[in-house]
Amino acid sequence: MLFSALRVITASNPVHAVLFLVLAFFNAAGLWLLLQAEFLAIALIMVYVGAVMVLFLFVVMMLDINIERIRQGFWRHLPLGATVGGIMVIEMTTVLTGMYFGLDNFPAQLADAAATAEGSNTKALARILFTDYVYPFELASVILLVAIIAAVMLTLRERKDTKGMRPADQIAIKRSDRVRLVKMASVTESNASSLTDTLDAATDAKGGAPQ
Amino acid sequence: MMSALLAPIQELLGPVFPLVWTLFKIVLILVPILLSVAYLTFWERKILGWMHVRIGPNRVGPWGLLQPMADGLKLFFKEVIFPTVADKKLFIVGPVMAIAPALAMWAVIPFSEGLVLADIDAGVLYLLAIGSVGVYGIIIAGWASNSKYAFLGAMRSSAQMISYEVAMGLALISVLMVSGSLNLTEIVHGQAKGYFAAQGAGFLSWNWLPLLPVFAVYLISGVAELNRAPFDVVEGESEIVAGHMVEYSGMSFAMFFLAEYANMILVSAMVAIFFLGGWLSPVGFLPDGLFWLAAKISAGLFFFLWIRATFPRYRYDQIMRLGWKVFVPLTLLWILVVGIWMMSPLSLWK
């Protein structure tokens, strides 16, 4: 996982970098499986690998990225990046060594024992989410919904020249709207001249077709 | 009896026995699947032939029965050509990523009572997760080929697959609600209960009847997810040739082909398990068993071939409209309906 995470930032080709990120997600999911969090592991693959990264890959493949220009700013941005990275490392160690910092008094930690005892941690997770954490959970989903709608509103623009369809209209169309039947006398030697008259009359009725 | 037979082998192999035994079971699942894939291609050509009032393949072997073998041999001996500026590693990874999920998903499919490789609690989630990985094979193949046709085809097909995954996942939520479990064996067991099952007409107790709209959505989304006709816009002889498979030849093409047909069998197996009662017998006086699952899968496969011969193709924007504007709202609504139904006194699932 460390290798693939490292390759995410060192791969020269952005598409390769994205694929290594996918690999990193897979490894993370594997680690979670080993920690008996099968719901989280599978949800990680389903959401991140299956949906988010695919769209990410779409975007990266579409972009025309100039690698040389990106490389230029490396040393200039390093201090900022290192600071953010350092803070994240500190946070992670705080959580992982939580027992020394008194973090294990949170309800999630207490319910953890119950979950492992029961076997199916999907059920346990759902029970906690919809009882102890119902308000934070609902709040998070509302925030996500707002984000979705905001993203759509920001990018949605009605193009004037678009040839959008109205399927309801298409279905409601009748034969008489599209085809007009013209009655004609059958063709024989004697009335061939009268046929051309009828044809002329028909084109006239249409509003004069080009000859 | 089984364990008594296995005991000497277990002693011989010692600690590696679980590994060998699992590998053996995997082979036991994969060999019939690959054989079915081979004969599914044959059967497809035969059925299409009959539906077009043609004869279909009948030259190789008796009644053309050796045709799949001949096709396989031909593909095997063909040269794998790499386009000059293709990304060589990813070009090979593409077909592998396409076929690996198609085969990996069989691990959780229960063939009969207890006849399953991995009876895991989150089986449905596993299917959804691994199923969504299959898109990568297509995208990687399209991109690595360094061809505009392949790339456009990959874009089309992956956009379509992602859209219909949403509808499929939402359709499955209703199934999960009525069975109250993510375990596939439990889902089949849940369909063995009910008023009609007690009367000896078990097929009326299966999920397809109370969840009829969801069943229809799942079946159609399954076809769209497979990129099969009438949703086969990934291929178009006049526009983008064979989509992401344009640059592939020989065995690398064969792997895409195998993946598609293995996925077809898998989707019909999933339909059979989620909605048609898995290995359960439709009527009370006949015993349950693997045979029924095979029969249901075959019926599903026939359905796929049938609609291929019957329906004209959808236009691409219509496919997207159907997925997002019809199926997703319909399944969301049905989740609500099932929820209210389960809480009401009329609930069938107590």
Side-chain angles (χ1 to χ4, degrees), chain B residues 68-242:
Chain B
M69 306 300 152
D71 287 343
L73 270 181
K74 183 195 79 174
L75 284 171
F76 197 74
F77 285 115
K78 270 192 163 181
E79 183 190 358
V80 177
I81 299 165
F82 292 98
T84 37
V85 264
D87 192 322
K88 228 174 189 173
K89 277 181 210 149
L90 286 184
F91 194 74
I92 297 174
V93 169
V96 175
M97 284 290 279
I99 195 164
L103 298 180
M105 279 159 91
W106 284 97
V108 293
I109 299 283
F111 293 98
S112 180
E113 190 68 53
L115 215 63
V116 50
L117 182 62
D119 192 12
I120 61 175
D121 278 333
V124 177
L125 280 176
Y126 174 85
L127 284 179
L128 285 174
I130 303 293
S132 60
V133 174
V135 184
Y136 280 98
I138 291 171
I139 302 187
I140 292 175
W143 186 77
S145 303
N146 196 37
S147 151
K148 285 197 175 58
Y149 291 110
F151 190 57
L152 286 173
M155 285 284 151
R156 271 197 196 190
S157 112
S158 44
Q160 181 183 337
M161 283 172 83
I162 292 173
S163 313
Y164 278 88
E165 247 159 40
V166 176
M168 279 177 101
L170 286 173
L172 283 186
I173 288 182
S174 316
V175 178
L176 299 184
M177 282 168 76
V178 299
S179 30
S181 172
L182 284 167
N183 185 316
L184 292 168
T185 312
E186 291 294 315
I187 288 175
V188 174
H189 282 163
Q191 299 181 56
K193 290 177 288 193
Y195 171 75
F196 289 110
Q199 302 292 313
F203 67 100
L204 292 173
S205 278
W206 297 341
N207 278 340
W208 68 272
L209 194 58
L211 301 177
L212 194 59
V214 178
F215 173 55
V217 167
Y218 191 82
L219 201 57
I220 299 170
S221 309
V223 181
E225 177 82 11
L226 291 168
N227 290 323
R228 297 274 311 168
F231 303 104
D232 59 339
V233 288
V234 57
E235 293 183 45
E237 278 75 16
S238 54
E239 327 144 17
I240 51 168
V241 207

Side-chain angles (χ1 to χ4, degrees), chain B residues 26 52 62-63 87 152 167 241 244 252 260 269 296 305 314 324:
Chain B
I26 290 173
H52 297 162
W63 307 292
D87 192 322
L152 286 173
V241 207
H244 57 277
S252 52
E260 184 183 336
K296 286 163 190 171
L305 306 182
Y314 257 69
W324 285 105

Side-chain angles (χ1 to χ4, degrees), chain A residues 16 49 53-54 61 165 167, chain B residues 87 136 139 162 315 317 321:
Chain A
H16 291 182
V49 177
M53 291 314 289
V54 173
M61 283 175 177
M165 293 170 308
Chain B
D87 192 322
Y136 280 98
I139 302 187
I162 292 173
R315 213 170 55 204
D317 61 315
R321 183 177 162 270

Side-chain angles (χ1 to χ4, degrees), chain A:
Chain A
M1 181 176 171
L2 280 177
F3 166 74
S4 49
L6 200 67
R7 288 291 288 155
V8 172
I9 49 171
T10 55
S12 58
N13 191 326
V15 173
H16 291 182
V18 173
L19 289 174
F20 274 114
L21 187 54
V22 171
L23 187 62
F25 275 131
F26 261 112
N27 289 332
L31 281 180
W32 283 359
L33 265 186
L34 290 179
L35 292 171
Q36 299 195 326
E38 86 257 7
F39 178 78
L40 282 181
I42 295 175
L44 177 76
I45 291 187
M46 204 157 75
V47 174
Y48 281 94
V49 177
V52 175
M53 291 314 289
V54 173
L55 299 181
F56 211 77
L57 204 55
F58 264 24
V59 175
V60 171
M61 283 175 177
M62 295 283 197
L63 291 179
D64 187 18
I65 296 172
N66 189 346
I67 296 157
E68 282 309 306
R69 234 187 52 216
I70 294 171
R71 288 244 170 109
Q72 281 169 8
F74 182 75
W75 289 109
R76 204 152 50 83
H77 295 304
L78 187 64
L80 179 67
T83 318
V84 174
I87 292 172
M88 280 176 78
V89 168
I90 291 169
E91 280 178 351
M92 295 282 265
T93 33
T94 320
V95 173
L96 286 179
T97 56
M99 55 191 99
Y100 306 115
F101 293 93
L103 276 178
D104 47 359
N105 292 330
F106 279 92
Q109 297 275 334
L110 299 174
D112 212 28
T116 33
E118 207 172 334
S120 165
N121 63 24
T122 312
K123 234 174 209 166
L125 201 67
R127 197 160 288 142
I128 292 171
L129 268 185
F130 286 101
T131 53
D132 294 347
Y133 286 101
V134 64
Y135 291 120
F137 177 68
E138 295 292 333
L139 201 64
S141 39
V142 169
I143 290 173
L144 273 178
L145 183 67
V146 170
I148 294 170
I149 295 173
V152 171
M153 284 312 293
L154 284 176
T155 50
L156 184 72
R157 60 200 167 101
E158 197 70 38
R159 268 175 56 178
K160 290 283 174 292
D161 57 339
T162 181
K163 289 183 177 169
M165 293 170 308
R166 287 188 215 92
D169 289 0
Q170 290 180 330
I171 293 166
I173 208 91
K174 289 192 182 59
R175 191 186 63 182
S176 56
D177 298 338
R178 293 280 163 87
V179 187
R180 197 168 53 87
L181 284 183
V182 180
K183 258 210 151 55
M184 279 190 191
S186 56
V187 181
T188 54
E189 282 290 322
S190 59
N191 65 4
S193 59
S194 69
L195 172 74
T196 50
D197 291 348
T198 343
L199 269 181
D200 283 347
T203 49
D204 283 348
K206 246 194 282 180
Q211 294 298 310

